[in-house]
């Protein structure tokens, strides 16, 4: 998993509450277990017209936001089903961070497992960041995970909280397997001892 230390990028405003995982990646795109190629299906029902052409009114289709790496979203982002395809689609599109006032628990956990940083901020701070994100080509935010800060285009800074263990795995780029392998020596020692002490197992 790619490490997350700092990120400076365009932030797309998505001021919609209760964005569920079916909106993030519709069920038509769940036929694969590959993590690549899902970016084209991200927000597909809002992003494309019925004839398959891009909807010019959808934020990620607007020229200023086509290369966004951050989403500033309304409350309760990622609710609905537990599909891990949702963070896969975000990451494949190029989104590395989502900022909201709250997230659905399963989606929140899946983000950390896939290298996306979900940041929870207060309603007042979200309003400030949504205003920053509404500036089109100037909607650039800088996120410093080590310092736990978000800096806006005017130089204002917001701090955020994050669980220290989750912060560590993001800074180190560790998924579940990588976290387990950090204890490879201890696991090997335990297995050798168990084989010696209990060979019947």
């Amino acid at each position: 998993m790619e490490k997350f230390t700092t990120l400076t990028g365009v932030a797309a405003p998505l001021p919609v509450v209760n964005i569920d995982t079916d909106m993030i990646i519709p069920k038509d795109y769940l036929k694969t277990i590959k993590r690549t190629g899902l970016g084209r299906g991200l927000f597909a029902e809002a992003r494309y017209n019925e004839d398959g052409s891009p909807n010019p009114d959808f934020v990620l289709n607007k020229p200023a936001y086509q290369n966004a790496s951050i989403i500033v979203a309304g409350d309760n982002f990622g609710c609905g089903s537990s599909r891990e395809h949702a963070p896969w689609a975000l990451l494949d599109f190029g989104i590395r961070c989502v900022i909201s006032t709250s997230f659905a628990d399963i989606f929140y956990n899946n983000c950390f497992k896939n290298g996306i940083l979900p940041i929870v901020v207060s309603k007042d701070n979200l309003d400030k960041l949504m205003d920053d994100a509404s500036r089109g080509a100037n909607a650039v935010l800088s996120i410093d995970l080590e310092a736990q800060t978000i800096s806006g285009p005017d130089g204002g800074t917001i701090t955020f909280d994050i669980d220290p263990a989750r912060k560590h795995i993001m800074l180190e780029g560790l998924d579940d397997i990588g976290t387990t392998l950090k204890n490879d020596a201890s696991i090997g020692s335990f297995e050798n001892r168990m084989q010696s002490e209990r060979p019947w197992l």
Side-chain angles (χ1 to χ4, degrees), residues 29-108:
Y29 295 87
L30 305 185
K31 299 172 184 177
T32 179
I33 58 172
K34 294 180 180 179
R35 301 188 184 198
T36 56
L38 289 170
R40 61 186 172 82
L42 181 68
F43 298 115
E45 292 180 354
R47 198 166 139 210
Y48 303 111
N49 296 316
E50 289 186 7
D51 63 1
S53 62
N55 173 8
D57 294 326
F58 186 68
V59 63
L60 294 180
N61 289 335
K62 295 180 179 180
Y65 299 108
Q66 288 177 358
N67 294 312
S69 56
I70 302 165
I71 288 178
V72 181
D75 189 54
N76 196 29
F77 190 89
C79 58
S81 70
S82 60
R83 64 188 69 168
E84 198 167 2
H85 292 69
W88 291 354
L90 286 163
L91 190 63
D92 193 58
F93 181 86
I95 303 298
R96 291 297 314 277
C97 177
V98 181
I99 304 171
S100 181
T101 51
S102 68
F103 295 89
D105 286 344
I106 294 176
F107 175 83
Y108 185 78

Side-chain angles (χ1 to χ4, degrees), residues 4-8 70 97 99 117 119 141-145 149-151 160:
F4 190 113
T5 54
T6 60
L7 173 66
T8 297
I70 302 165
C97 177
I99 304 171
L117 179 63
I119 298 178
L141 298 179
S142 294
I143 298 163
D144 186 326
L145 179 55
T149 59
I150 306 168
S151 300
F160 62 90

